[in-house]
Structures are given as structure tokens and as C-alpha cells.
Amino acid sequence: MALKERVGTVVSDKMDKTVVVAVENRFPHPIYQKTVRRTTRYKAHDEANSCRVGDRVRITETRPLSRTKRWAVAEVLTTTSAG
């Protein structure tokens, strides 16, 4: 079984060892063919509490870690410099 991977932006880091990652999916509307943006928010495990809001991260599917957490941060792609 191949593990799913997603790339998204961290939108919340207020929880301990957990971040919320927004993943945007673009697709053409089935009838009108206009590009539609749909955003899905995933809770991902961040063991080191290293992610900050605005970071671009890659998340991978994992076993259920809590009631709503089924993803883990695999790597931080870009960071934002929070001054």
C-alpha cells in the first residue's frame, strides 16, 4: 500500500505536537470548466513543534494518532521568517 502525500501550508500551530495544514486542490468544474479551488484542512503530527504558521510542509498518511489526526509532517519545504 502506497502512503498518500500532500503538500500544504500550516495555518495553525497552537496545539502541542500538532499543526493544521491546509491543502489546496484545483480542478476544472465538470460542466462549466472553470478552475475550482477546494481547500481541505488536515491535522498533522509535528513531534518537534518546529512548524510555524505560513510554513510550506509535506505531510504523509499514518496510523490514527488521535480522533482526528491521521497525518504526520514528513518535511518542512519552506519556512517563514517570523520577526
Side-chain angles (χ1 to χ4, degrees):
M1 178 182 100
L3 292 178
K4 295 176 188 157
E5 283 192 340
R6 303 280 189 267
V7 175
T9 307
V10 175
V11 293
S12 174
D13 62 349
K14 293 185 181 300
M15 294 171 278
D16 185 34
K17 296 186 179 181
T18 304
V19 291
V20 179
V21 180
V23 176
E24 183 180 276
N25 183 22
R26 292 172 182 245
F27 60 95
H29 188 277
I31 296 173
Y32 302 115
Q33 297 305 314
K34 179 180 177 176
T35 301
V36 181
R37 297 188 328 179
R38 183 166 293 159
T39 303
T40 309
R41 291 162 54 108
Y42 298 101
K43 289 192 177 85
H45 185 66
D46 176 23
E47 181 65 36
N49 278 328
S50 59
C51 297
R52 295 290 166 251
V53 173
D55 289 357
R56 194 101 172 121
V57 296
R58 173 176 285 116
I59 57 175
T60 57
E61 196 176 35
T62 184
R63 65 181 177 83
L65 300 171
S66 72
R67 185 166 62 105
T68 57
K69 191 161 60 165
R70 270 96 174 113
W71 296 80
V73 174
E75 65 175 313
V76 178
L77 301 174
T78 59
T79 60
T80 57
S81 57

